[in-house]
């Protein structure tokens, strides 16, 4: 299960492309939905990748109108009212995810955005926590660089982040201090971006390049943190984890505390091997 707020940080769309190309049994649920636009973008990209078999479920709409990049200058395609009707209804969304999790013996959940969808599923069926393995893009607890800021996707819905992290047995967090080194940046002059933009590249590559270029007008750096979380959720060996005791504050800030609850926290990353896997998966 890929739970992603695609259409904002470009790493989300990078992760979707990689997942579509390497994961046979994939389901996509959109986090921090905004009027169905993230679901539309996901459906369009998956169709370009010849993965019409992958189900897209629109998740909770958290009012993220300003957290959607491919708009106005870079509009996503319109699929009409029939598609929008299929992705409406939070009860239907929760029921669909619950059904999928119940039918699978073990579900790998890659959380790349706010944890609202997962919290809703856990609230409906708490026993799902027994067979859902959650790997979540997380913050940076105290202890590395002083009091670290709450990550954006936790700030969007801190209550859901707190509930989910408390309900899960031993969630795995890929932390910001491991996902944002220079080695994991995609510079605007990178060979990868040039390959995606090449005239002979397929349509999915052009859409991904458009997103990366659009992001570069806002921020000078694009990270590959989202596919790193995906790789960890798939059980690939690029990220190592240690068990630490983490306190969850009401605003979803995380802090290392001796008597708090145990979580699996990312400790080291094999950047070279991860980047090789990423570039191979994005090869055009």
């Amino acid at each position: 299960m890929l739970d992603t707020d695609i259409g904002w940080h470009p790493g989300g769309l990078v992760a979707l492309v990689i997942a579509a190309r390497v994961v046979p049994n994939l389901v996509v649920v959109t986090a921090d939905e905004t009027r169905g636009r993230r679901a539309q973008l996901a459906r369009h990209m998956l169709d370009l990748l010849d993965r019409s078999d992958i189900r897209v479920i629109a998740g909770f709409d958290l009012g993220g109108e300003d957290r959607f990049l491919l708009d106005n200058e870079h509009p996503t395609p319109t699929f009409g009212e029939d598609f929008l009707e299929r992705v409406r209804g939070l009860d239907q969304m929760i029921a669909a995810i619950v059904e999928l999790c119940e039918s699978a013996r073990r579900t790998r959940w890659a959380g790349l955005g706010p944890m609202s969808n997962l919290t809703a599923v856990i609230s409906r069926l708490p026993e799902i926590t027994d067979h859902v393995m959650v790997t979540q893009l997380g913050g940076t607890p105290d202890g590395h660089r002083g009091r670290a800021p709450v990550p954006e996707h936790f700030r969007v819905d801190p209550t859901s982040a707190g509930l989910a992290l408390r309900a899960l047995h031993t969630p795995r967090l890929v932390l910001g201090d491991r996902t944002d080194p220079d080695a994991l940046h995609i510079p605007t002059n990178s060979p990868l971006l040039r390959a995606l933009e090449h005239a002979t590249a397929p349509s999915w590559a052009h859409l991904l390049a458009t997103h990366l270029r659009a992001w570069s007008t806002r921020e000078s750096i694009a990270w590959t943190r989202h596919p790193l979380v995906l790789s960890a959720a798939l059980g690939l060996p690029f990220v190592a984890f240690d068990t630490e005791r983490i306190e969850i504050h009401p605003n979803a800030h995380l802090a290392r505390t001796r008597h708090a609850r145990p979580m699996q926290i990312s400790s080291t990353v094999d950047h070279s091997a991860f980047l090789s896997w990423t570039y191979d998966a994005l090869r055009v």
Side-chain angles (χ1 to χ4, degrees), residues 165-187:
L165 291 175
R166 289 178 175 90
L168 296 166
H169 297 304
T170 310
R172 299 199 305 172
L173 297 181
V174 179
L175 302 182
D177 62 329
R178 304 301 179 193
T179 60
D180 296 347
D182 291 344
L184 299 186
H185 294 171
I186 303 176

Side-chain angles (χ1 to χ4, degrees), residues 236-249:
L236 297 175
F238 313 129
V239 184
F241 292 86
D242 290 333
T243 300
E244 298 193 40
R245 291 194 172 272
I246 303 296
E247 181 181 6
I248 309 160
H249 291 205

Side-chain angles (χ1 to χ4, degrees), residues 139-146 148 173 175 177 246 253-256 265:
T140 303
D142 292 336
H144 281 291
R145 300 172 185 171
L173 297 181
L175 302 182
D177 62 329
I246 303 296
H253 172 76
L254 306 177
R256 290 176 171 86
I265 303 298

Side-chain angles (χ1 to χ4, degrees), residues 97-133:
I97 298 175
V98 167
E99 178 184 359
L100 289 165
C101 290
E102 284 185 314
S103 64
R105 194 171 173 187
R106 201 76 162 153
T107 300
R108 296 179 184 268
W109 185 290
L112 309 183
M115 302 185 76
S116 317
N117 298 324
L118 181 59
T119 299
V121 173
I122 292 172
S123 299
R124 177 69 63 88
L125 198 69
E127 56 266 34
I128 272 182
T129 59
D130 293 336
H131 58 94
V132 174
M133 301 169 59

Side-chain angles (χ1 to χ4, degrees), residues 171-276:
R172 299 199 305 172
L173 297 181
V174 179
L175 302 182
D177 62 329
R178 304 301 179 193
T179 60
D180 296 347
D182 291 344
L184 299 186
H185 294 171
I186 303 176
T188 55
N189 62 346
S190 71
L192 170 62
L193 188 49
R194 290 198 299 271
L196 294 172
E197 291 180 320
H198 196 275
T200 61
S203 297
W204 67 261
H206 289 163
L207 178 56
L208 182 54
T210 296
H211 195 3
L212 286 162
R213 290 295 183 193
W215 179 259
S216 70
T217 66
R218 295 180 50 92
E219 302 282 348
S220 60
I221 296 174
W223 291 281
T224 51
R225 57 170 74 129
H226 297 76
L228 184 64
V229 176
L230 171 66
S231 76
L234 293 175
L236 297 175
F238 313 129
V239 184
F241 292 86
D242 290 333
T243 300
E244 298 193 40
R245 291 194 172 272
I246 303 296
E247 181 181 6
I248 309 160
H249 291 205
N251 66 347
H253 172 76
L254 306 177
R256 290 176 171 86
T257 306
R258 181 178 300 177
H259 301 294
R261 60 184 301 105
M263 296 187 194
Q264 291 285 308
I265 303 298
S266 57
S267 56
T268 60
V269 176
D270 186 338
H271 297 132
S272 178
F274 165 69
L275 289 174
S276 294

